[in-house]
Amino acid sequence: MKKLQILGTGCAKCQALTHNAETAAKALGLPYELEKVTELSAIMKFGVMSTPALAVDGVVKSQGRLLTADQIKVLLF
Amino acid sequence: MNPLEAALAPPLTRPIKRHVWGGVAALIVWWLVYGRLEALAHWLTYSLMGLTVGSHLAGAVEFFIYEVPKVLMLLTAVVFGVGIVRSFFTPERTRRILSGRRESVGNVLGALLGIVTPFCSCSAVPLFIGFVTTGVPLGVTFSFLISAPMVNEVALVLLFGLFGWKVAALYLSTGLVIAILAGWVLGKLHLEKHVEAWVYATKTGVADADEKLDWVLRIDLGLEAVRDIVGRVWLYVLIGIAVGAGIHGYVPENFMASIMGKGAWWSVPLAVLIGVPMYSNAAGIIPIVQALLGKGAALGTVLAFMMSVIALSLPEAIILRKVLKPRLIATFFGIVALGIMFVGFLFNALL
């Protein structure tokens, strides 16, 4: 089970990143759970300063970028 | 190859060669087209459309047909370049550089890094918290937060394209000076108690590692920046230049001299007062401002108006209200506005 977390306070880019992450996980056939982290204090705990950010299994993989589904696939190992 | 590897293959095997050749070809085409824009606009206006030389309409049309592709092409090239430069400066790295700096040196560095660090006003709050909770002094953080929106590539390209390199350089240097000095003054005022209390109580983690980037990825980041920024501002450029073209063709010479000319001392504070709450990106405002300048407005006044529109805005104040108490926001806006006014007066007096 992969744990995907989308960090962001709810901007349009965060929505798009959430969608792309789900697309990527589904395309790879990975079992996953997805969580949206919208609390600022929770986002800061990750040390993330530019949103949206993507964390996989608790590790920040990308910040400040709207990744495409293909770019996310690479990060899901 | 198992299915997982097969799924991953395309993004991992993009060869650098394709990027390089594509880039060289794009650069040659860009250069060939860019050099011919003026002649093309002239031909379209007078030969193809048959407009009368010297008429209001012809002036406006030629201006529009020439400036729109010129500015958009410049913008594409510069945004791409800046996108690649920015792939070297993550907010993470900038924070490490600024953390624990003394003020003064820190203010200078903060203002400079504000230019090259990727920044979006939507991330201003997490960035602010990340900076001040990990040892970046408040004043240094402000220097960064002032220069990041004010000195940006879109503004510089438009200034360069429409006014020439001198005004662009003037804007860049005075923008930096304002960011450095305003941040330094704000630091000296010791306003930490006017930051919302929970901010300093926030536990900020350290993101695990910077993403590993190779050149293929950096070029992709440049292209992403072009899609994102040019995709967002092209319409404003179009509208701004259309309004500018209208002013250019129809408003009589020296019409602006009485309102925004050098003679009217109150024009600088008024321009700043109107500009501060306004929120428009540089792309929309600069072409209009350029046309006003041609009708007798003074450069200092115009520069002050532009800076106050770009650097400060009501939405920004609302975003920052999450982390700053009203008095600190007011002080922050007040000091930056004063700095901008000073620049306005200075250039009206010198030029």
Side-chain angles (χ1 to χ4, degrees), chain B residues 42-311:
Chain B
H42 193 83
W43 181 80
L44 280 173
T45 311
Y46 300 106
S47 301
L48 193 70
M49 287 188 266
L51 298 175
T52 320
V53 179
S55 71
H56 287 321
L57 183 64
V61 167
E62 191 183 8
F63 180 82
F64 184 79
I65 301 181
Y66 174 50
E67 295 297 340
V68 167
K70 183 180 100 175
V71 167
L72 287 180
M73 284 180 76
L74 270 177
L75 203 59
T76 305
V78 172
V79 166
F80 177 69
V82 171
I84 289 183
V85 170
R86 287 204 172 139
S87 70
F88 291 92
F89 295 88
T90 59
E92 206 34 48
R93 181 174 294 174
T94 294
R95 178 176 77 177
R96 278 201 297 271
I97 297 173
L98 293 180
S99 173
R101 286 277 166 196
R102 275 190 309 125
E103 311 219 314
S104 62
V105 183
N107 292 115
V108 176
L109 275 174
L112 286 172
L113 287 167
I115 305 175
V116 289
T117 309
F119 173 80
C120 149
S121 58
C122 50
S123 292
V125 166
L127 192 123
F128 180 87
I129 302 173
F131 274 28
V132 297
T133 52
T134 54
V136 181
L138 190 60
V140 175
T141 305
F142 274 119
S143 282
F144 180 93
L145 279 180
I146 296 165
S147 103
M150 181 150 65
V151 187
N152 70 74
E153 69 276 25
V154 176
L156 284 176
V157 164
L158 282 153
L159 288 172
F160 173 79
L162 297 170
F163 292 88
W165 69 268
K166 277 185 196 160
V167 174
L170 213 64
Y171 183 83
L172 173 74
S173 44
T174 50
L176 273 176
V177 170
I178 290 176
I180 293 167
L181 290 182
W184 185 78
V185 171
L186 284 162
K188 285 287 163 223
L189 292 174
H190 297 293
L191 296 159
E192 280 78 2
K193 59 179 179 296
H194 294 291
V195 173
E196 291 290 347
W198 63 270
V199 169
Y200 282 105
T202 304
K203 290 197 173 52
T204 300
V206 175
D208 305 278
D210 287 332
E211 290 172 68
K212 296 219 169 16
L213 297 175
D214 57 8
W215 273 98
V216 175
L217 220 100
R218 290 189 201 283
I219 293 170
D220 282 346
L221 279 173
L223 292 173
E224 245 172 60
V226 169
R227 262 195 302 276
D228 181 31
I229 296 177
V230 179
R232 199 152 25 96
V233 305
W234 71 269
L235 191 62
Y236 293 96
V237 172
L238 218 69
I239 295 170
I241 293 178
V243 175
I247 297 173
H248 201 80
Y250 289 96
V251 175
E253 290 298 322
N254 289 325
F255 175 76
M256 294 308 294
S258 56
I259 313 168
M260 288 178 86
K262 270 188 202 181
W265 68 266
W266 43 266
S267 66
V268 172
L270 186 69
V272 173
L273 210 64
I274 297 172
V276 167
M278 260 175 84
Y279 176 67
S280 150
N281 49 41
I285 202 78
I286 294 176
I288 297 171
V289 148
Q290 191 251 3
L292 294 180
L293 198 65
K295 301 301 174 187
L299 182 63
T301 310
V302 159
L303 214 57
F305 179 62
M306 211 149 54
M307 280 184 165
S308 53
V309 171
I310 301 171

Side-chain angles (χ1 to χ4, degrees), chain A residues 44-45 47 51 60-61 65 77, chain B residues 8 123 126 130 205 208 221 224:
Chain A
M44 294 317 298
K45 272 197 191 111
T51 56
V60 177
K61 293 289 188 181
R65 288 179 66 200
F77 273 115
Chain B
L8 292 173
S123 292
D208 305 278
L221 279 173
E224 245 172 60

Side-chain angles (χ1 to χ4, degrees), chain A residues 20-38:
Chain A
N20 291 353
E22 290 203 287
T23 309
K26 279 182 189 147
L28 292 175
L30 286 174
Y32 69 95
E33 60 171 317
L34 190 125
E35 187 197 351
K36 285 190 182 184
V37 181
T38 53

